[in-house]
Short mmCIF file of all heavy atoms in Angstrom, two decimals:
data_model
loop_
_atom_site.label_atom_id
_atom_site.label_comp_id
_atom_site.label_asym_id
_atom_site.label_seq_id
_atom_site.Cartn_x
_atom_site.Cartn_y
_atom_site.Cartn_z
N MET A 159 -87.89 -3.95 -70.54
CA MET A 159 -87.48 -4.02 -69.14
C MET A 159 -87.74 -2.72 -68.40
O MET A 159 -88.24 -2.71 -67.28
CB MET A 159 -85.98 -4.37 -69.04
CG MET A 159 -85.65 -5.82 -69.24
SD MET A 159 -83.94 -6.22 -68.72
CE MET A 159 -84.12 -6.22 -66.92
N THR A 160 -87.39 -1.59 -69.05
CA THR A 160 -87.45 -0.31 -68.35
C THR A 160 -88.84 0.31 -68.32
O THR A 160 -89.18 1.05 -67.39
CB THR A 160 -86.46 0.70 -68.97
OG1 THR A 160 -86.77 0.85 -70.37
CG2 THR A 160 -85.03 0.21 -68.83
N MET A 161 -89.66 0.03 -69.32
CA MET A 161 -90.99 0.64 -69.37
C MET A 161 -92.04 -0.16 -68.62
O MET A 161 -93.05 0.39 -68.18
CB MET A 161 -91.42 0.84 -70.82
CG MET A 161 -90.60 1.89 -71.55
SD MET A 161 -91.22 2.21 -73.23
CE MET A 161 -90.04 3.45 -73.79
N LEU A 162 -91.82 -1.47 -68.48
CA LEU A 162 -92.77 -2.30 -67.74
C LEU A 162 -92.31 -2.56 -66.30
O LEU A 162 -93.13 -2.80 -65.43
CB LEU A 162 -92.99 -3.63 -68.46
CG LEU A 162 -93.66 -3.53 -69.84
CD1 LEU A 162 -93.77 -4.92 -70.47
CD2 LEU A 162 -95.02 -2.88 -69.72
N GLY A 163 -91.01 -2.53 -66.07
CA GLY A 163 -90.49 -2.73 -64.73
C GLY A 163 -90.65 -4.13 -64.19
O GLY A 163 -90.58 -4.35 -62.99
N GLN A 164 -90.90 -5.09 -65.09
CA GLN A 164 -91.10 -6.47 -64.65
C GLN A 164 -89.76 -7.18 -64.44
O GLN A 164 -88.76 -6.84 -65.06
CB GLN A 164 -91.93 -7.23 -65.69
CG GLN A 164 -93.34 -6.66 -65.88
CD GLN A 164 -94.07 -7.28 -67.05
OE1 GLN A 164 -93.47 -7.92 -67.92
NE2 GLN A 164 -95.37 -7.09 -67.09
N ALA A 165 -89.79 -8.17 -63.59
CA ALA A 165 -88.57 -8.94 -63.29
C ALA A 165 -88.41 -10.10 -64.25
O ALA A 165 -89.39 -10.73 -64.67
CB ALA A 165 -88.62 -9.45 -61.85
N PHE A 166 -87.15 -10.39 -64.63
CA PHE A 166 -86.81 -11.55 -65.45
C PHE A 166 -86.01 -12.52 -64.60
O PHE A 166 -85.16 -12.11 -63.80
CB PHE A 166 -85.97 -11.13 -66.65
CG PHE A 166 -86.72 -10.33 -67.69
CD1 PHE A 166 -86.73 -8.95 -67.66
CD2 PHE A 166 -87.42 -10.97 -68.70
CE1 PHE A 166 -87.41 -8.21 -68.61
CE2 PHE A 166 -88.10 -10.25 -69.66
CZ PHE A 166 -88.10 -8.87 -69.62
N ASP A 167 -86.27 -13.83 -64.79
CA ASP A 167 -85.47 -14.80 -64.06
C ASP A 167 -84.12 -14.98 -64.76
O ASP A 167 -83.87 -14.43 -65.83
CB ASP A 167 -86.20 -16.13 -63.90
CG ASP A 167 -86.50 -16.83 -65.22
OD1 ASP A 167 -85.81 -16.57 -66.23
OD2 ASP A 167 -87.42 -17.67 -65.24
N ALA A 168 -83.25 -15.77 -64.13
CA ALA A 168 -81.88 -15.91 -64.62
C ALA A 168 -81.83 -16.54 -66.01
O ALA A 168 -81.02 -16.14 -66.86
CB ALA A 168 -81.05 -16.73 -63.63
N GLU A 169 -82.67 -17.54 -66.26
CA GLU A 169 -82.66 -18.21 -67.56
C GLU A 169 -83.08 -17.24 -68.67
O GLU A 169 -82.51 -17.25 -69.77
CB GLU A 169 -83.57 -19.44 -67.55
CG GLU A 169 -83.09 -20.56 -66.63
CD GLU A 169 -81.75 -21.16 -67.07
OE1 GLU A 169 -81.37 -21.00 -68.25
OE2 GLU A 169 -81.08 -21.78 -66.23
N LYS A 170 -84.08 -16.41 -68.41
CA LYS A 170 -84.49 -15.41 -69.38
C LYS A 170 -83.39 -14.38 -69.59
O LYS A 170 -83.13 -13.94 -70.73
CB LYS A 170 -85.78 -14.71 -68.90
CG LYS A 170 -86.33 -13.66 -69.86
CD LYS A 170 -86.81 -14.30 -71.16
CE LYS A 170 -87.50 -13.26 -72.04
NZ LYS A 170 -87.95 -13.86 -73.33
N ALA A 171 -82.72 -14.00 -68.51
CA ALA A 171 -81.61 -13.04 -68.60
C ALA A 171 -80.49 -13.62 -69.46
O ALA A 171 -79.86 -12.90 -70.24
CB ALA A 171 -81.10 -12.70 -67.21
N LEU A 172 -80.23 -14.91 -69.32
CA LEU A 172 -79.20 -15.56 -70.15
C LEU A 172 -79.62 -15.59 -71.61
O LEU A 172 -78.82 -15.30 -72.51
CB LEU A 172 -78.96 -16.98 -69.64
CG LEU A 172 -77.90 -17.80 -70.39
CD1 LEU A 172 -76.52 -17.16 -70.26
CD2 LEU A 172 -77.86 -19.24 -69.86
N GLU A 173 -80.86 -15.90 -71.84
CA GLU A 173 -81.40 -15.94 -73.21
C GLU A 173 -81.29 -14.57 -73.89
O GLU A 173 -80.98 -14.48 -75.08
CB GLU A 173 -82.86 -16.39 -73.16
CG GLU A 173 -83.56 -16.45 -74.51
CD GLU A 173 -85.04 -16.76 -74.37
OE1 GLU A 173 -85.40 -17.53 -73.45
OE2 GLU A 173 -85.84 -16.21 -75.17
N MET A 174 -81.51 -13.50 -73.14
CA MET A 174 -81.44 -12.14 -73.68
C MET A 174 -80.01 -11.65 -73.85
O MET A 174 -79.78 -10.65 -74.51
CB MET A 174 -82.19 -11.16 -72.78
CG MET A 174 -83.69 -11.36 -72.75
SD MET A 174 -84.55 -9.98 -71.92
CE MET A 174 -83.84 -10.06 -70.28
N GLY A 175 -79.06 -12.32 -73.20
CA GLY A 175 -77.68 -11.86 -73.26
C GLY A 175 -77.31 -10.92 -72.13
O GLY A 175 -76.25 -10.31 -72.14
N LEU A 176 -78.19 -10.83 -71.12
CA LEU A 176 -77.93 -9.94 -70.00
C LEU A 176 -76.84 -10.49 -69.09
O LEU A 176 -76.07 -9.74 -68.50
CB LEU A 176 -79.22 -9.72 -69.21
CG LEU A 176 -79.16 -8.79 -68.00
CD1 LEU A 176 -78.70 -7.39 -68.40
CD2 LEU A 176 -80.53 -8.71 -67.32
#
Side-chain angles (χ1 to χ4, degrees):
M159 281 193 75
T160 57
M161 292 184 181
L162 295 178
Q164 297 171 345
F166 290 93
D167 63 23
E169 293 296 340
K170 182 66 174 179
L172 180 63
E173 178 186 326
M174 292 191 299
L176 181 59

